[in-house]
Structures are given as C-alpha cells and as structure tokens.
C-alpha cells in the first residue's frame, strides 16, 4: 500500500466519522470537529503527495474552518465553564474527601 493511499483512507474514514458525530446531535457531537480536523489534515497531505492542488486548497480551508468549529464547540465552552466555576467561589469537587471510597 502506498503512503498516499494510507492518508487518503484515514482522511476519508475520519471525515465520515466526524460528519456522523456532528449530525448525531449528542454529547459526542463537539468531538466530531476533531475527526474533521484529522480528515482535513490527512486529505491535505494526500492532495500534496498526489499533486492535486485544488483539493489541497480545499482541505486547507476546511482545516481552518475546523479549527474555528473546534474553538466554538469545545474550547470556548470549556473556558467559559471554568471561568463560571472560579467566579462563583463556591465550587465543590464532585467527590468530597470524606466520601472517597478508595481509602480504608
């Protein structure tokens, strides 16, 4: 199997996975953007190796839009939740030390 074929199929499969994850509208949907980024990266490498310049441009733009999607769906909400918890000042860990079951 040639190297370009490996990149082509990893890109194709991760793109399909990303589309299914985003379209499913579940708690896993935001992670579809990671699969999309993996797809764009691999298909971009495939396009470079096979001299497909139009595809290379397309995948470069897709990669940038996937970075934006990753920011909007995963990174930004995580930062906002962290800031809300630290601003409240009454943040409690999910398991209090006295409730831990891993101690005798």
């Amino acid at each position: 199997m040639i190297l370009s074929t490996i990149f082509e199929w990893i890109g194709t499969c991760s793109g399909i996975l990303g589309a299914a994850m985003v379209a499913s509208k579940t708690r896993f949907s935001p992670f579809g953007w990671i699969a999309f980024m993996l797809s764009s990266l691999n298909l971009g490498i495939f396009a470079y190796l096979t001299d497909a310049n139009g595809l290379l441009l397309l995948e470069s733009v897709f990669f940038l839009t996937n970075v934006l999607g990753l920011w909007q769906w995963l990174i930004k909400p995580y930062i906002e939740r962290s800031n809300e918890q630290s601003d409240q000042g009454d943040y409690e860990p999910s398991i209090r030390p006295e409730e831990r079951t891993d101690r005798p």
Side-chain angles (χ1 to χ4, degrees):
M1 191 179 250
I2 24 182
L3 190 60
S4 63
T5 304
I6 294 170
F7 285 113
E8 178 185 19
W9 283 105
I10 291 174
T12 300
C13 293
S14 58
I16 293 168
L17 176 65
M21 290 174 76
V22 170
S24 69
K25 200 174 179 185
T26 64
R27 64 185 177 110
F28 300 108
S29 293
F31 297 100
W33 293 101
I34 296 171
F36 277 149
M37 285 182 67
L38 181 64
S39 173
S40 295
L41 182 63
N42 279 279
L43 289 175
I45 293 169
F46 167 74
Y48 175 78
L49 293 174
T50 59
D51 249 356
N53 295 326
L55 182 60
L56 180 58
L57 176 61
L58 177 67
E59 293 304 328
S60 299
V61 173
F62 278 170
F63 185 83
L64 294 175
T65 60
N66 293 330
V67 169
L68 179 62
L70 187 64
W71 171 260
Q72 293 291 341
W73 283 64
L74 279 174
I75 299 169
K76 186 178 171 185
Y78 176 79
I79 292 171
E80 289 172 351
R81 279 193 307 271
S82 296
N83 288 340
E84 287 173 6
Q85 287 176 348
S86 65
D87 289 344
Q88 291 174 357
D90 60 352
Y91 171 74
E92 292 184 25
S94 58
I95 299 179
R96 294 184 189 106
E98 63 271 8
E99 295 175 352
R100 289 180 58 184
T101 59
D102 61 339
R103 287 195 237 162

